[in-house]
Amino acid sequence: MSHLDRITGELEQRFATCTYAVYDPRRACCHVAMAGHLPPVLIPASGAPRLLDLPTGAPLGVGSVPFETTRLRIGPGDGLPLYTDGLVETRSHSLDAQLATPLSLLTRPPGPLEETCDQLLDALRSPEEPDDVALLLTRAGRS
């Protein structure tokens, strides 16, 4: 993250948010660091999805700010959606309400990843909102 922070400081647009995650399937863990980004959602194979309470950090490009890495246990069948703020931030709805929507949608039994992404995009993306939207949904394999 520190390297990305230095690179971002050299760009024309100097600030960006980021979630950086590295998954180790052998150890069933994921290391996550955030730079001013909204929290990812953990979808346990059994249990309710929840927003992860991780250290947010400063956006990339601020410079010389330490970033914390959190180690998460990601078991077989657990999911981890990562998304940009354009998916949940709108002018007409509160952020808390918008963040609650994916949690309610993700309580359903897990289907194919593409289908789940389509459901989230259909429910949350607003054509009237000009912000960019990116969504990446991962699920740990079962051994």
Side-chain angles (χ1 to χ4, degrees):
M1 288 292 269
S2 295
H3 179 69
L4 290 173
D5 184 47
R6 283 189 302 277
I7 291 170
T8 304
E10 297 169 5
L11 299 175
E12 187 175 314
Q13 185 172 348
R14 296 189 168 268
F15 300 103
T17 64
C18 178
T19 297
Y20 191 92
V22 177
Y23 175 63
D24 181 345
R26 285 187 184 201
R27 293 188 175 99
C29 72
C30 186
H31 293 90
V32 180
M34 296 188 351
H37 205 68
L38 292 170
V41 176
L42 178 63
I43 310 166
S46 58
R50 68 182 189 278
L51 290 170
L52 294 174
D53 185 17
L54 302 175
T56 305
L60 296 173
V62 171
S64 301
V65 177
F67 297 97
E68 288 186 54
T69 300
T70 303
R71 183 177 186 267
L72 307 171
R73 169 136 172 66
I74 305 287
D78 290 352
L80 189 70
L82 304 173
Y83 55 92
T84 59
D85 60 354
L87 183 66
V88 293
E89 287 183 347
T90 69
R91 293 183 186 120
S92 55
H93 298 91
S94 76
L95 182 58
D96 288 340
Q98 287 295 101
L99 287 172
T101 300
L103 294 178
S104 66
L105 289 171
L106 294 168
T107 58
R108 300 174 184 159
L113 293 176
E114 186 173 351
E115 186 178 298
T116 303
C117 283
D118 287 344
Q119 289 171 347
L120 289 170
L121 290 169
D122 289 344
L124 291 165
R125 189 175 48 180
S126 174
E128 298 84 37
E129 298 293 331
D131 205 352
D132 63 317
V133 174
L135 172 63
L136 172 67
L137 178 56
T138 61
R139 187 177 299 140
R142 299 183 189 274
S143 42

